[in-house]
Structure formats: C-alpha cells, structure tokens
Amino acid sequence: VLALWSVVSAIAMYSKRRRKGSFGLPRRPENLRIGWGLWTIGALMVVVFPEWGVTALAILAFDHFVIQRTRLRRTFGQR
C-alpha cells in the first residue's frame, strides 16, 4: 500500500510543480559537448549490454529526427 501511495503522490507533486504547457524538464544547452570519458563509458556499455546500445541509438535517433526538426523542441526544454 505504501508503494502505491508513493507512486500516486509522486505523480501529484510532479503535475503541480511543472510549468504549464511543458513536461517540466530543465533546458538543454544549445551546443552540448560530450567528453571522451563519457564516450568511453558508452562504448563499454554497448559491449557489455548490447540492448542498452540499441536503446541509446533509438533515443538519439528520435531526438535528432523528430524532436530537433519539429515544434517539440520547446516542449522538451529547448529554444
């Protein structure tokens, strides 16, 4: 019962605190640079967990082809 109450209260707090008309996510920097350390960790994750790599590629493709090229940029915290 407490686990269900935790989920319900989290959804209620999120819906009250987010900005109207958005998902309430923080703004993403315009020119995001990813360091070599993060690329190395990502490459290791792809080798150890191949499904993680497929999921990461799907998310990056969705971001590049859908969010960046439509009006969803503002919804996801970009200008």
Side-chain angles (χ1 to χ4, degrees):
V1 173
L2 292 176
L4 290 173
W5 178 252
S6 176
V7 171
V8 170
S9 66
I11 293 170
M13 287 189 294
Y14 168 75
S15 64
K16 287 187 174 210
R17 288 182 166 209
R18 69 181 173 91
R19 292 179 304 221
K20 300 296 181 196
S22 74
F23 286 123
L25 302 172
R27 294 215 180 272
R28 181 177 139 190
E30 296 265 340
N31 297 326
L32 182 64
R33 290 193 45 99
I34 299 175
W36 286 105
L38 192 57
W39 282 112
T40 304
I41 292 171
L44 288 173
M45 291 287 286
V46 168
V47 170
V48 175
F49 303 109
E51 291 177 1
W52 182 89
V54 172
T55 304
L57 285 176
I59 291 171
L60 289 173
F62 181 76
D63 179 55
H64 181 72
F65 293 113
V66 177
I67 294 175
Q68 296 297 323
R69 297 179 181 194
T70 63
R71 293 185 201 172
L72 290 174
R73 290 182 71 168
R74 188 170 177 94
T75 305
F76 282 95
Q78 299 175 9
R79 292 189 173 139

